[in-house]
Amino acid sequence: MQKGRKLAITTIVFTLSLGLVIGAGYYKSSIGDGGSFNLNLPQKDTGKVKTVTVNLDEQGLLKKLFQPDLIEVRSHAITNKSNKDYNLQFELTDNSLPVRMSVKDDAWDEKNNTLNRPLKPGQKVNFNMYFDVSKELSNTSEIYDGRLNVLDYTTKEQLGYVPIKIVNTNMASDGNKDCCAP
């Protein structure tokens, strides 16, 4: 009797654990991921810079239902690889979309998009951008095509950049989803 009870408990725990793992995977895929990048400062080989592309058509069901107009682009890490301090400022080359930038640091100045403390050699910072995409704009094929520039605000030296695109491959080039149906 004791052996059967242990087997039943083990089976239940295993089944619940498996369900949790599968559910967590489904949850992540149903939300859909924004874009992300890593950036070492100063950026050495600008010829190999990858564009961060966010495709609205690849958003998961939950994201489409509950937060379709907010697109997040984030860094895994922006790292100072030099031997000197940098005073970081972030700016976009295309300001056609409302965007909020943030760094999880007490020294972040959201008004000026600056980190008001030096990023010392070897230090890292995590950076996020939240683009607000209107319903009308989300129904076009190319929504945003710009670039994030990272500068030292005391010297105005460009330390690095990341090209950013937000697209919707589900839309035809003129924004009419049904334009080309047979």
Side-chain angles (χ1 to χ4, degrees):
M1 187 71 164
Q2 188 76 334
K3 202 174 201 179
R5 186 175 176 172
K6 282 185 180 181
L7 181 61
I9 290 173
T10 303
T11 303
I12 290 170
V13 169
F14 176 76
T15 304
L16 289 174
S17 298
L18 184 61
L20 198 62
V21 169
I22 292 171
Y26 174 75
Y27 176 75
K28 181 168 175 40
S29 69
S30 70
I31 288 192
D33 197 9
S36 60
F37 62 94
N38 285 313
L39 184 61
N40 291 328
L41 303 177
Q43 199 168 30
K44 298 282 187 207
D45 190 357
T46 57
K48 294 184 179 181
V49 176
K50 289 185 179 179
T51 300
V52 175
T53 302
V54 179
N55 185 350
L56 298 187
D57 190 41
E58 294 174 357
Q59 287 181 324
L61 179 62
L62 292 177
K63 176 74 173 155
K64 286 179 182 178
L65 288 175
F66 296 113
Q67 211 178 38
D69 57 342
L70 188 67
I71 306 302
E72 181 183 16
V73 175
R74 66 188 176 284
S75 73
H76 291 294
I78 296 175
T79 307
N80 182 350
K81 294 286 192 175
S82 76
N83 58 1
K84 62 183 182 177
D85 294 357
Y86 290 129
N87 297 294
L88 301 184
Q89 180 173 21
F90 301 87
E91 67 179 25
L92 293 170
T93 57
D94 177 355
N95 292 307
S96 62
L97 290 178
V99 65
R100 183 176 65 83
M101 298 181 192
S102 74
V103 171
K104 291 180 182 174
D105 191 299
D106 291 337
W108 176 246
D109 177 356
E110 189 170 349
K111 180 181 174 194
N112 296 307
N113 296 323
T114 56
L115 185 63
N116 290 333
R117 69 163 176 82
L119 188 67
K120 299 196 175 297
Q123 285 186 329
K124 298 177 182 183
V125 69
N126 293 323
F127 174 78
N128 298 303
M129 289 180 289
Y130 303 94
F131 291 90
D132 188 12
V133 178
S134 68
K135 178 71 174 159
E136 302 88 40
L137 200 52
S138 68
N139 289 324
T140 60
S141 59
E142 188 171 299
I143 298 160
Y144 183 84
D145 188 3
R147 184 169 113 164
L148 171 70
N149 290 322
V150 181
L151 310 167
D152 183 312
Y153 64 81
T154 56
T155 64
K156 299 300 180 199
E157 174 188 4
Q158 181 171 314
L159 304 171
Y161 71 92
V162 178
I164 300 168
K165 288 184 104 143
I166 302 173
V167 299
N168 188 346
T169 56
N170 194 35
M171 295 292 130
S173 60
D174 68 353
N176 182 358
K177 182 177 178 180
D178 299 320
C179 79
C180 308

